[in-house]
Amino acid sequence: MSSGSSSVALAEELLRLVRSTHLDDAAASAVSGSPSSTQAAHDAKNLIAETCDALMRSVLGPSEYTVLLAESCQESSALYFITSLGVADVIGEASVGLAELSTQLNVEPRFLSIALSCLLPRGYFDEVGGFGSQVYRNNELSRLLRADDPQTLKDAIGFVGDEGFKATSYLLEAAQQQQPSGENAAPALPAVNLAYGFKQSVFAWMADPEHSYRGQRMGKAMQQLHRMANGGVITDFPWATLASPVVDVGGGIGSLELALTKTGTNGNVNFTIFDIPETIANAQKTWAAQPTTAQAQISFVPGNFLAPTLEETKLPQGQPTYLIRHVLHDWTDDQVVAILKNVRSAMIAGRENSSDPAPKLLLCEMLLRPTSSRFVRTTSMQLLALNDGVTRTEGEMVRLVKAAGFQVVKVHDMRAVDSIIEATP
Ligand SMILES: C[S@@+](CC[C@H](N)C(=O)[O-])C[C@H]1O[C@@H](n2cnc3c(N)ncnc32)[C@H](O)[C@@H]1O
């Protein structure tokens, strides 16, 4: 097939896909954070995005497409630059000229106009009066860059553009480190350590008071990134039927619980958020601002899921349900098995003679599949750079779960990038 005819075939396929699904519904859900109306609409959205990309490859040809892909980091940098400066915040509901923006933000107008000209054709901001007027106003995309927008992505863009981007730029060096040998050799460092020059884990580094703004931003970024992918996780899994309390291991600031209690989809189910002490302190600050009914469903336990003994982990013991969401992808296979073994010990502690139903482990993770979206694959790069993490296939995850002594009961698929693996100890 010549490149011309394959473009036509792709365009026809695109039209067929768009007509066969409720794309308007899919687009609306992308804004509100709720899932597509059906699993078919959810799947079609990914397929449509992939077909658009295939059409672009076909129309542009290999060289132009590859140069564009290589240069797309500049668009990403423009988005980070404009968002971090607070351009959309300064514009607010008004129309603001370049000179005024430059004065208010205390930056050279040249930098602003070049970065904005990168973003305008991608749909961010409107240039009032047409090309070259250099008077800007917000539109439905650029409002997401405002801190005060309910759908804000400001922290997510900050985290991805700062720690994320700097860390991935060191992947080559990280991959080429001499692998240490010998029993007591410290492991090679993840890219983020090389980028910023620290030795501890990225979580401990961000928890340090000197960098605590990074930890707080990452917490909010997780919430904002999850909102995009969360919809089906909140609605398609029967949270309200779980036995309480659910111990959320590595629960962060409780972004899952914030979404669940906001929609009420957890019914009367209570949660215990378990995380390192610094993150628990951030979580408590976040929850202090929530409605008291929501606060009443949440408790907090600081600890360390990798501590050498069960007592030292401080994991709550003998509870009916344990959840681990978006945590295992941060760790190597050996560390995952160590975390899961600690959690398993906590689950069965004190239950030797109990006739209660077996406790449940729920692992909520993105799984790598042939159909995995661009988001899943780019997130994998991010995980690798930040903590030597990885997005695993279902087979790889199941192997580790079994290696830690669990039996897999079921894999729940949802209208989401995440799946939930249910297991018993
Ligand atoms: C990617 S975040 C996921 C947070 C949360 N589960 C969510 O889905 O929003 C990983 C979490 O693991 C926590 N964590 C890292 N090391 C830990 C440790 N040794 N013990 C307990 N929690 C840890 C981090 O503080 C962070 O909150």
Side-chain angles (χ1 to χ4, degrees):
M1 211 186 262
S2 76
S3 96
S5 63
S6 92
S7 299
V8 169
L10 283 165
E12 280 170 351
E13 172 64 1
L14 194 53
L15 189 59
R16 188 193 66 72
L17 276 168
V18 174
R19 284 208 170 118
S20 72
T21 59
H22 301 282
L23 190 64
D24 289 346
D25 162 75
S29 76
V31 172
S32 69
S34 60
S36 309
S37 59
T38 60
Q39 184 73 44
H42 171 79
D43 297 343
K45 206 161 80 169
N46 279 347
L47 203 51
I48 288 167
E50 267 174 35
T51 312
C52 283
D53 199 47
L55 179 58
M56 212 161 96
R57 277 198 301 274
S58 164
V59 169
L60 297 178
S63 301
E64 203 174 327
Y65 179 83
T66 304
V67 170
L68 269 190
L69 184 61
E71 289 266 341
S72 62
C73 64
Q74 307 302 352
E75 286 170 337
S76 172
S77 297
L79 189 64
Y80 169 70
F81 175 79
I82 290 296
T83 308
S84 301
L85 276 174
V87 172
D89 305 276
V90 166
I91 294 176
E93 300 300 319
S95 297
V96 183
L98 185 64
E100 172 70 15
L101 277 176
S102 151
T103 308
Q104 286 211 39
L105 296 166
N106 196 24
V107 285
E108 262 207 59
R110 211 161 42 95
F111 286 69
L112 284 172
S113 74
I114 292 174
L116 282 165
S117 81
C118 224
L119 296 182
L120 278 160
R122 305 260 66 82
Y124 294 85
F125 303 97
D126 292 330
E127 207 167 13
V128 182
F131 175 73
S133 76
Q134 299 198 316
V135 177
Y136 307 97
R137 82 174 154 230
N138 280 316
N139 60 14
E140 82 169 332
L141 265 83
S142 65
R143 75 179 175 78
L144 301 176
L145 318 183
R146 287 176 65 171
D148 61 0
D149 189 88
Q151 302 291 322
T152 184
L153 288 171
K154 188 165 183 163
D155 302 282
I157 294 166
F159 167 69
V160 172
D162 188 348
E163 293 89 1
F165 187 56
K166 281 193 196 123
T168 36
S169 69
Y170 275 79
L171 272 177
L172 209 53
E173 285 83 345
Q176 289 169 340
Q177 285 170 99
Q178 291 286 329
Q179 287 304 317
S181 55
E183 223 170 70
N184 296 321
L189 291 169
V192 73
N193 296 72
L194 304 182
Y196 288 90
F198 63 87
K199 288 224 158 57
Q200 70 269 49
S201 84
V202 70
F203 302 108
W205 177 65
M206 285 196 188
D208 186 284
E210 197 191 333
H211 304 289
S212 61
Y213 78 94
R214 295 186 189 276
Q216 279 162 23
R217 180 169 66 185
M218 185 175 77
K220 288 190 199 158
M222 291 301 131
Q223 221 179 321
Q224 292 164 13
L225 290 170
H226 291 161
R227 201 172 49 222
M228 179 184 106
N230 251 347
V233 177
I234 304 305
T235 51
D236 295 358
F237 187 79
W239 297 102
T241 65
L242 295 174
S244 270
V246 177
V247 181
D248 188 354
V249 179
I253 60 163
S255 55
L256 175 71
E257 290 78 3
L258 285 168
L260 289 172
T261 53
K262 194 166 169 197
T263 50
T265 34
N266 60 317
N268 296 322
V269 174
N270 293 339
F271 291 81
T272 300
I273 298 175
F274 173 89
D275 209 292
I276 54 174
E278 297 83 355
T279 305
I280 289 295
N282 283 337
Q284 285 171 319
K285 271 187 225 146
T286 305
W287 281 87
Q290 297 304 308
T292 45
T293 45
Q295 286 187 42
Q297 294 189 305
I298 309 295
S299 57
F300 303 93
V301 175
N304 170 11
F305 53 48
L306 274 169
T309 66
L310 177 58
E311 294 314 318
E312 285 171 279
T313 65
K314 306 275 189 276
L315 276 162
Q317 299 182 11
Q319 301 303 317
T321 316
Y322 289 73
L323 167 70
I324 310 182
R325 183 177 87 139
H326 297 174
V327 169
L328 301 184
H329 62 198
D330 289 331
W331 303 94
T332 62
D333 286 2
D334 288 347
Q335 290 166 323
V336 165
V337 173
I339 295 168
L340 288 175
K341 280 186 171 168
N342 274 342
V343 171
R344 184 172 178 277
S345 302
M347 290 171 85
I348 58 181
R351 299 180 67 101
E352 291 78 10
N353 302 316
S354 167
S355 56
D356 290 347
K360 209 178 253 187
L361 172 69
L362 302 171
L363 295 177
C364 183
E365 287 271 339
M366 294 191 298
L367 297 176
L368 187 63
R369 303 183 192 281
T371 53
S372 284
S373 66
R374 198 170 158 185
F375 173 73
V376 174
R377 292 162 200 270
T378 54
T379 302
S380 256
M381 286 285 281
Q382 198 79 105
L383 295 169
L384 176 64
L386 287 175
N387 207 33
D388 246 349
V390 57
T391 303
R392 296 180 170 88
T393 63
E394 183 177 321
E396 288 166 339
M397 278 297 292
V398 166
R399 187 176 60 74
L400 297 178
V401 172
K402 287 185 175 163
F406 287 94
Q407 281 184 335
V408 173
V409 175
K410 189 174 174 188
V411 180
H412 301 260
D413 287 324
M414 299 161 291
R415 290 168 293 170
V417 289
D418 287 335
S419 299
I420 292 183
I421 298 179
E422 183 180 331
T424 51

